[in-house]
């Protein structure tokens, strides 16, 4: 690659290529864990950026195959470098393209799980970053939550899951977009810094073609005083899962 990058270690066998334009945060670990992928699953991550969500899903769940799609050339170059570096060519497939038009790139009615960490802010709101890559990641400039749900509905099998994270103020928008695209919200979990603060994120799972009924799970707290909670450490991979 013809730009500076670093390889950040995720485990003894996995590292990911990151740059100031395309890196990752806590929400990627939360969403990947929330997806609960199975060994036989076919998974696609929309707006994958550097490919962090596919890497974490592979590390935790070893699904059948994972695709990661992004419109930004540099992001996919980074992602491809990661896949080559980790020798995962037969397990993780980076794709460059627009999630609003995936016909011919990805098969319809074929996936068990679609994940997406979408832009959190509506276009023309909030403070824009000087970096175009950050604007695209944070604001609905190139796609909206409706676009994500419409494409997910095309890609998912009946009964397949769409897993998203978003800011709490966008909850109504997400539920509306899911239902307008025949995806029924089934599971919702709020994420808060600690027990005393309001949620800053939510995780939601919708199923294609399912009947109405949604489980509200206990709030996930990230911090216990100055330390991460035990559950958060497990999500980061620093503790073994509960028996």
């Amino acid at each position: 690659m013809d730009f500076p990058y670093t390889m950040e270690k995720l485990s003894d066998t996995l590292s990911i290529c990151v740059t100031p334009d395309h890196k990752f945060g806590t929400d990627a670990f939360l969403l990947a864990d929330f997806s609960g992928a199975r060994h036989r699953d076919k998974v696609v991550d929309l707006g994958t950026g550097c490919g962090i969500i596919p890497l974490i899903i592979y590390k935790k769940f070893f699904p059948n195959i994972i695709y990661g799609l992004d419109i930004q050339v540099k992001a996919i170059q980074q992602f491809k470098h990661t896949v080559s570096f980790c020798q995962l060519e037969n397990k993780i497939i980076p794709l460059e393209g627009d999630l609003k038009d995936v016909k011919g790139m990805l098969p319809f009615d074929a996936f068990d799980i679609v994940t997406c960490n979408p832009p959190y802010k509506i276009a023309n709101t909030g403070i824009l970053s000087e970096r175009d890559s950050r604007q695209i990641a944070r604001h609905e400039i190139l796609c909206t939550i409706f676009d994500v749900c419409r494409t997910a509905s095309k890609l998912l099998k009946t009964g397949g899951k769409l897993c998203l994270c978003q800011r709490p103020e966008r909850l109504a928008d997400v539920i509306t977009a899911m239902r307008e695209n025949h995806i029924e919200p089934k599971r919702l979990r709020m994420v808060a810094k600690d027990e005393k603060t309001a949620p800053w994120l939510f995780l939601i799972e919708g199923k294609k073609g399912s009947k109405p009924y949604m489980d509200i799970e206990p709030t996930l707290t990230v911090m216990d005083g100055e330390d991460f909670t035990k559950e958060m450490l497990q999500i980061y991979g620093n503790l073994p899962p509960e028996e």
Side-chain angles (χ1 to χ4, degrees), residues 13 22 25 48 51 57-59 67-70 81 95 100 103-104 112 114 117 121 137 139-140 143 151 167 172 217:
T13 57
H22 302 288
T48 197
I57 288 176
Y58 174 80
K59 176 178 177 283
Y67 293 84
L69 174 71
D70 204 284
H81 183 75
L95 294 173
K100 298 191 299 295
K103 187 175 181 180
D112 302 284
V114 173
N117 182 356
K121 296 182 181 295
H139 298 260
E140 291 183 335
C143 71
T151 294
R167 300 300 190 210
E217 299 184 349

Side-chain angles (χ1 to χ4, degrees), residues 56-73:
I56 299 169
I57 288 176
Y58 174 80
K59 176 178 177 283
K60 291 180 72 73
F61 302 114
F62 300 102
N64 181 281
I65 190 76
I66 313 172
Y67 293 84
L69 174 71
D70 204 284
I71 197 170
Q72 299 186 77
V73 175

Side-chain angles (χ1 to χ4, degrees), residues 17-127:
C17 177
V18 295
T19 68
D21 287 307
H22 302 288
K23 47 189 178 180
F24 58 90
T26 298
D27 45 4
F29 286 85
L30 294 168
L31 180 59
D33 179 78
F34 185 76
S35 73
R38 302 161 299 181
H39 292 313
R40 66 178 181 273
D41 283 346
K42 294 182 179 179
V43 181
V44 57
D45 182 47
L46 301 177
T48 197
C50 63
I52 182 62
I53 290 174
L55 261 288
I56 299 169
I57 288 176
Y58 174 80
K59 176 178 177 283
K60 291 180 72 73
F61 302 114
F62 300 102
N64 181 281
I65 190 76
I66 313 172
Y67 293 84
L69 174 71
D70 204 284
I71 197 170
Q72 299 186 77
V73 175
K74 187 174 178 181
I76 292 301
Q77 288 177 335
Q78 287 180 222
F79 191 11
K80 287 181 177 179
H81 183 75
T82 294
V83 169
S84 176
F85 184 87
C86 298
Q87 299 181 339
L88 295 174
E89 288 86 351
N90 295 323
K91 287 295 182 180
I92 300 178
I93 313 296
L95 294 173
E96 180 190 334
D98 188 343
L99 68 79
K100 298 191 299 295
D101 184 17
V102 296
K103 187 175 181 180
M105 281 194 297
L106 292 164
F108 288 0
D109 303 307
F111 288 92
D112 302 284
I113 298 175
V114 173
T115 57
C116 184
N117 182 356
Y120 289 153
K121 296 182 181 295
I122 298 171
N124 302 316
T125 63
I127 299 172

